[in-house]
Amino acid sequence: GICCKCNKTEKKMDFSQIELFDGISAASCTDMLVCFGAEFDSFRTGEVVCDYSDDPKRRVGIMRTGRASMIRIDESGNETLLEEVEEGDIFGEVLCFGDGGDYVKLICDEDCDVVFLKYDQITKRCEKACEHHSRLVANLFELMAKKTLSLGERIQLLSRRTTREKLMYYFRLESARRGGEFTLPMSHTRLAEYLCVDRSAMVRELKRLTDDGLVRVDGKKIRLTQAEF
């Protein structure tokens, strides 16, 4: 197939390895992409992949290559990083943390190749009663449940009163996910946006945490001390 924006041959991707298609064979994934009328597109660094404030299309997107950030912009123009979307991740209006009062956009951090599926095509009753279609719907709802859990963690993080408490809570979550030492998945600027704190204050607090022996920092690698972990 040909990518409609950059006119280059699509990069082959094993969709069966993506969480949305878990338990579905590669051949069935290919058939479903055709059945759902999948749309392939490419975006350059800095471009907006989706704008959920004025895009009425209810679509589920799959990040085939590249990386992007889901950004919320409030009425005063303040930006908050909601999540980072990387290769293999899925995104969409039904999977983001937006609300009616804010603008939510997915912006490319680096060149991206994306495939879009229509949400109503996924959820409508399959005429052939395909087993793999039923599995896909179950996977979608499971992913929505995980997003809800992630939102709960985010609320817990933002409920911390100080920058120090927010940093430590975030580090504990990442350490638990990665099994100890982890690489910070974003820049300090993005992390400050994610924590809803001032960047300079956050960097100073990170140095204090290091000086106090609570964390070890080596470039972008972070490790909690044994006592804290």
Side-chain angles (χ1 to χ4, degrees), residues 60-123:
V60 173
I62 301 171
M63 184 66 67
R64 300 167 66 223
T65 64
R67 183 170 52 86
S69 294
M70 192 75 74
I71 304 293
R72 171 183 284 167
I73 306 171
D74 66 22
E75 295 177 350
S76 299
N78 300 311
E79 296 188 0
T80 302
L81 174 64
L82 298 179
E83 63 176 329
E84 299 221 312
V85 180
E86 300 179 335
E87 185 172 328
D89 289 344
I90 73 168
F91 57 91
E93 183 180 16
V94 297
L95 294 163
C96 74
F97 304 136
D99 58 49
D102 299 329
Y103 295 99
V104 178
K105 297 182 180 182
L106 183 66
I107 302 175
C108 283
D109 293 322
E110 59 186 50
D111 292 358
C112 298
D113 290 322
V114 177
V115 60
F116 291 104
L117 307 175
K118 292 181 179 178
Y119 179 71
D120 58 1
Q121 286 288 96
I122 295 175
T123 56

Side-chain angles (χ1 to χ4, degrees), residues 171 181-182 184 188 206-207 209-211 214-224:
F171 290 160
E181 183 178 272
F182 65 93
L184 200 63
H188 281 170
L206 182 57
K207 184 178 185 305
L209 289 172
T210 304
D211 293 341
L214 295 178
V215 298
R216 296 192 185 110
V217 181
D218 180 11
K220 294 190 73 174
K221 291 187 177 181
I222 307 288
R223 174 175 283 278
L224 296 178

